[in-house]
Amino acid sequence: MQNLEIYEFNLSSPEFEQDAFYIQVFQHSMVPQIIVDKDLAVFAANHKMFECLQMKPHDIIGKCFGDAFSCCKKDSSAESCIKSKNGSKCPILKLTRNILFNGCSSACTETSYAWSSGKNNRTKWFQIGGVKIYSSDTAYALLSFVDITMQKHQENILKKKLTLDQPTGLMNKQSLISEIKKLANRNYAKCYTLCMIDFDDFKSINDQCGHLTGDKVLKVFADIVRKNIRKCDQVGRFGGEEFIFIFIDSDPHQSLQILQRIYGELYKYFKQDIPIPVTFSAGFVFVDTTETTPSFADLLLDVDRLLYQAKNRGKGRALSAAGEFLFSTSEYQNANEN
């Protein structure tokens, strides 16, 4: 099995006359497939492989997969992708090695593959299955590629939905707790402010105006939040009418400015429609990771304690270790009246 014409077998060679039928099957298979030799070099690729990667058939014989199919992760200074920095981590090469050298007669993996296509880079997800085959006592790996890009896209959409609180579209409690644990366990932010808020008199709003109005308050609140927080900040619903803000690389003063805008816009939005003022109270915990790294449990206990101290002192206020802050509605009232 040595004579090849670019990407397909030379059927005129006497060596392949008896296998002509099987070669035709390989070349016209509806599944993208390649054959790799013991040097981890591509020995053959069928028509569907080129079509799948949106490439015209070209000479790939003797090249490693990444070199043959323009891998974006290949180190340009390396002689081949096998010798590049990422070569040892490549799932496709690992799969091939397992089949050819580690005693696995068959194996499979799931991976994304990014490659250069003209001036653009493209990415697809593949489920790759491989089996060991022999010709003249020489072992080869036959790899089959199943395009699962669409399934992965749908899976990512579903995963995102599972991290969200459906009524508000903000993070749900589970994903929120996960993010707070990351802050507590990893030093990836120099400082951050954790803020827990709770709506004032929310039960009265539900009782007097109906639960649909209460739901609308939470929905409008979420919309206002998304407009005012920064890209690096995160917000989630902790439960009921309690929400937690994570302000990355922000001190309480900066965080309070953001929360003041949210407070004022929310108050103004419902001022004419709901007889009960729509306000909230807040507790703030500022963490400088160069000085301290509180545990997840301590963070939640501290911010919860400060929130309820704020609520016990009155409505529409925030409390932190630095002191008390009263949210203002006067500028929004004046703007609404003019």
Side-chain angles (χ1 to χ4, degrees), residues 47-288:
H47 300 291
K48 200 67 178 178
M49 191 73 222
F50 290 101
E51 182 183 321
C52 178
L53 297 180
Q54 299 170 300
M55 295 181 181
K56 293 181 179 179
H58 58 277
D59 187 1
I60 46 82
I61 305 309
K63 297 179 181 179
C64 188
F65 186 88
D67 300 311
F69 297 106
S70 307
C71 178
C72 288
K73 295 182 180 179
K74 184 202 166 197
D75 182 359
S76 58
S77 62
E79 182 181 341
S80 72
C81 66
I82 297 177
K83 298 180 180 179
S84 68
K85 295 177 182 178
N86 297 317
S88 61
K89 300 177 182 178
C90 174
I92 299 174
L93 290 178
K94 281 184 178 180
L95 175 71
T96 308
R97 288 190 184 98
N98 282 337
I99 294 171
L100 289 174
F101 309 120
N102 296 339
C104 299
S105 58
S106 64
C108 62
T109 191
E110 195 174 278
T111 184
S112 62
Y113 184 68
W115 73 98
S116 301
S117 178
K119 295 181 180 180
N120 302 315
N121 291 338
R122 300 180 183 274
T123 302
K124 281 189 176 184
W125 274 89
F126 292 103
Q127 187 177 67
I128 308 173
V131 294
K132 186 182 288 188
I133 59 175
Y134 290 89
S135 178
S136 303
D137 296 325
T138 301
Y140 298 84
L142 172 65
L143 305 184
S144 300
F145 292 70
V146 178
D147 186 346
I148 58 170
T149 307
M150 187 58 68
Q151 294 95 307
K152 276 291 178 181
H153 178 65
Q154 295 297 328
E155 182 181 311
N156 290 335
I157 291 174
L158 180 59
K159 283 182 178 178
K160 186 175 181 180
K161 286 182 178 179
L162 291 175
T163 67
L164 299 180
D165 171 64
Q166 294 305 308
T168 63
L170 301 177
M171 296 170 65
N172 61 23
K173 185 174 183 177
Q174 183 178 1
S175 55
L176 185 62
I177 287 175
S178 176
E179 289 303 313
I180 298 172
K181 285 182 176 179
K182 287 179 184 178
L183 281 173
N185 296 333
R186 301 181 194 172
N187 188 18
Y188 71 77
K190 291 182 180 179
C191 65
Y192 60 89
T193 299
L194 197 70
C195 169
M196 179 182 283
I197 75 142
D198 183 57
F199 279 84
D200 302 319
D201 300 320
F202 196 77
K203 185 177 184 302
S204 297
I205 293 174
N206 277 331
D207 291 345
Q208 295 184 33
C209 306
H211 286 273
L212 289 179
T213 299
D215 292 343
K216 183 179 180 181
V217 168
L218 298 182
K219 176 68 169 60
V220 171
F221 167 75
D223 292 339
I224 293 173
V225 164
R226 278 186 283 268
K227 287 193 305 179
N228 283 279
I229 62 172
R230 303 165 303 164
K231 288 184 178 180
C232 60
D233 299 329
Q234 299 184 73
V235 188
R237 189 177 184 182
F238 193 66
E241 58 272 14
E242 288 184 336
F243 293 81
I244 290 181
F245 290 73
I246 304 172
F247 297 105
I248 302 297
D249 292 329
S250 174
D251 60 35
H253 176 70
Q254 295 167 318
S255 305
L256 275 168
Q257 287 181 322
I258 297 173
L259 213 57
Q260 170 63 78
R261 291 197 300 270
I262 295 169
Y263 185 96
E265 286 188 37
L266 186 69
Y267 176 87
K268 176 184 174 182
Y269 188 97
F270 289 104
K271 184 176 183 293
Q272 304 298 331
D273 300 328
I274 298 179
I276 302 169
V278 179
T279 63
F280 55 75
S281 301
F284 280 82
V285 172
F286 172 69
V287 178
D288 183 342

Side-chain angles (χ1 to χ4, degrees), residues 277-318:
V278 179
T279 63
F280 55 75
S281 301
F284 280 82
V285 172
F286 172 69
V287 178
D288 183 342
T289 57
T290 62
E291 298 178 359
T292 181
T293 53
S295 68
F296 165 75
D298 288 341
L299 276 172
L300 280 187
L301 283 172
D302 287 347
V303 75
D304 185 67
R305 173 179 54 81
L306 287 165
L307 166 62
Y308 280 96
Q309 284 181 6
K311 290 183 75 69
N312 289 335
R313 294 188 184 191
K315 302 165 187 174
R317 68 189 64 213

